[in-house]
Amino acid sequence: MNAAANEPSALDIAALMDRLGREAAAAASVLALASTATKNAALAKIAVSLRERAPELLAANAKDLEAARAKGLSGAMLDRLALDAARIESMARGVEDIAALADPIGATIAQWTRPNGLEIARVRVPLGVIGIIYESRPNVTCDAGSLCLKSGNAAILRGGSESVQSSRAIHACLVEGLLAAGLPAASIQLVPTTDRAAVGYMLSSMTDYIDVVVPRGGKSLVARVQQEARVPVIGHLEGVCHVFVDRDANLDMARAIVKNAKLRRTGVCGSAETVLIDAACAATHLAPVIKELLDAGCEVRGDAAVQKVDARVKAATEQDWYTEYLDAIIAARVVDGVDAAIEHIDKYGSAHTDSIVTANAATAQRFLERVDSAIVLHNASTQFADGGEFGMGAEIGISTDRFHARGPVGVEQLTSYKYVVRGTGQVRP
């Protein structure tokens, strides 16, 4: 160890990460064959442990928050990092929800019989070892570990330095559950160093052990993972999410949805970053929607039409339409109908989550069909972009990829499949 930095040297990191990889691969072989009852028993114990160890989790989180404030982290970042009794209970319930899900492993997706009598089935199998690299959200430690466990995958978790104390405390609960159910502790491992070299090694030098990498964090982290990884990546760069208020929108509904989509939690990737108002209803809807946001403490950056309705609106720049603020800031623009809204989203959006507010079913259908995002909503807040809200128990993240997984990444999205073929002695002519 490097005593001066109290972190591993480059050689130590390589040895450390290789050991984690070997142990994860061995654990993955066990998990792939583990019964549903065994996996659910581990998850049940994890939930119990989270509740029993809540004081330890809060104490660890307090240390992380103190260090984060000393570094001058933003309010949005502090909100992502913070745990309280309600969030710990939410984590525990999420684990129980995952346990209650159907086990995807071994499930037959499709089956058919060929004219020669061969019986063919497509069956779900685990991906293997999943590396999850994330930043300041300590709950990801719990969500990712639990989802990997249920889907029969081993996990190597590398959390951010901001949440190191919280993640270690949560990881101890995961290990307690694994051991109670007789599963290898290495089924869910937490990289024990905050040295960024460990991330580089995961991405470039662990192809013998890691099958898939899932990044969850800011644009720079995800971009680095996508550029450097030598194994498949499930992830998204950013969540530039939109709410379009159509000419046929109910005003009270529009005000409530826009406010919730932006301000319920500004630091989540499903937070709305742009609101688009149909020019046909600007006279009645624009001022109330914008005033609702401003009065709630949200900064609004608007085009000329939006600036006219309230002196508090700041002028939007071209860059604002591309920006994921993750803060109490929103861009606002008046557009000429649903097609112009779709055109704006297509140009500036990130294919994450976009919503239309309208009472017109035909307009809603046009928006839902033509907006090519992972999640599209009608008359609902973009903050529902969440695996738990989709009934998945939890999620590792929201994928904007078009291959393998798209939208919330839950237990089914952490599986692949193989073909099982049964014959009675057939040979190919």
Side-chain angles (χ1 to χ4, degrees):
M1 298 290 284
N2 183 337
N6 198 30
E7 287 285 0
S9 68
L11 288 175
D12 290 334
I13 284 176
L16 167 67
M17 298 307 294
D18 283 340
R19 176 176 60 79
L20 295 181
R22 287 192 300 271
E23 292 178 354
S29 297
V30 176
L31 286 172
L33 301 176
S35 69
T36 302
T38 298
K39 292 185 289 187
N40 286 347
L43 291 166
K45 180 60 178 176
I46 289 169
V48 170
S49 184
L50 287 167
R51 293 185 175 107
E52 290 180 346
R53 296 191 181 204
E56 298 173 36
L57 270 59
L58 292 173
N61 186 244
K63 294 178 182 177
D64 286 334
L65 286 170
E66 181 181 3
R69 293 189 186 98
K71 291 180 181 178
L73 264 64
S74 69
M77 291 293 287
L78 291 172
D79 177 64
R80 288 181 171 194
L81 177 59
L83 292 177
D84 56 24
R87 289 186 179 181
I88 292 173
E89 176 59 26
S90 179
M91 280 196 296
R93 286 200 306 269
V95 174
E96 291 170 338
D97 289 343
I98 292 169
L101 295 172
D103 189 343
I105 302 306
T108 298
I109 304 169
Q111 57 185 353
W112 60 95
T113 302
R114 297 292 296 146
N116 62 4
L118 286 178
E119 297 178 355
I120 303 174
R122 188 184 304 130
V123 179
R124 288 197 187 277
V125 297
L127 292 172
V129 176
I130 302 177
I132 300 103
I133 303 171
Y134 51 104
E135 291 180 332
S136 58
R137 297 180 191 273
N139 65 289
V140 176
T141 304
C142 180
D143 294 348
S146 299
L147 287 167
C148 287
L149 170 57
K150 180 74 179 197
S151 55
N153 296 289
I156 299 177
L157 311 177
R158 203 288 187 176
S161 58
E162 300 88 353
S163 60
V164 61
Q165 301 294 338
S166 306
S167 292
R168 286 172 180 168
I170 293 169
H171 180 249
C173 299
L174 301 178
V175 172
E176 185 174 349
L178 291 167
L179 295 177
L183 292 170
S187 299
I188 306 171
Q189 298 181 87
L190 185 67
V191 175
T193 175
T194 59
D195 192 319
R196 292 189 177 185
V199 174
Y201 197 86
M202 282 181 73
L203 298 176
S204 65
S205 303
M206 296 187 69
T207 54
D208 288 343
Y209 310 117
I210 294 178
D211 297 286
V212 179
V213 172
V214 181
R216 183 165 178 179
K219 184 175 182 178
S220 61
L221 168 68
V222 180
R224 179 189 177 188
V225 171
Q226 291 180 331
Q227 289 166 7
E228 297 182 18
R230 296 179 60 194
V231 296
V233 175
I234 301 174
H236 74 276
L237 278 176
E238 54 193 339
V240 182
C241 305
H242 300 75
V243 177
F244 169 55
V245 179
D246 177 62
R247 65 192 64 187
D248 295 317
N250 175 278
L251 176 56
D252 289 339
M253 181 187 293
R255 289 169 61 184
I257 287 176
V258 172
K259 181 180 179 181
N260 181 268
K262 175 71 261 186
L263 295 175
R264 172 190 164 269
R265 288 190 68 185
T266 59
V268 298
C269 61
S271 173
E273 306 295 11
T274 297
V275 57
L276 303 172
I277 307 289
D278 193 336
C281 68
T284 55
H285 289 46
L286 178 58
V289 168
I290 298 303
K291 184 176 186 297
E292 186 86 23
L293 290 165
L294 290 164
D295 289 350
C298 183
E299 178 182 323
V300 178
R301 301 178 184 178
D303 65 2
V306 177
Q307 291 177 71
K308 287 180 181 178
V309 303
D310 198 300
R312 294 172 290 176
V313 176
K314 299 180 179 180
T317 67
E318 178 70 8
Q319 186 57 40
D320 281 314
W321 311 119
Y322 292 103
T323 300
E324 182 184 31
Y325 300 107
L326 298 174
D327 202 350
I329 306 169
I330 196 168
R333 176 177 245 173
V334 174
V335 295
D336 188 16
V338 66
D339 288 339
I342 294 168
E343 183 179 349
H344 177 102
I345 293 169
D346 182 57
K347 179 176 180 180
Y348 297 105
S350 61
H352 191 291
T353 300
D354 299 292
S355 176
I356 181 173
V357 185
T358 185
N360 187 312
T363 303
Q365 188 62 27
R366 187 177 186 85
F367 182 93
L368 298 174
E369 287 179 352
R370 299 195 177 194
V371 173
D372 186 22
S373 295
I375 303 170
V376 287
L377 305 103
H378 174 208
N379 289 345
S381 168
T382 58
Q383 297 260 344
F384 284 107
D386 179 273
E389 294 298 321
F390 277 40
M392 297 177 175
E395 66 180 34
I396 287 183
I398 304 288
S399 170
T400 54
D401 292 338
R402 285 172 172 79
F403 291 103
H404 183 71
R406 197 177 193 199
V409 179
V411 291
E412 285 192 8
Q413 290 72 34
L414 295 178
T415 66
S416 183
Y417 55 81
K418 65 182 178 183
Y419 289 93
V420 178
V421 183
R422 292 182 172 88
T424 53
Q426 289 91 334
V427 294
R428 185 170 177 176

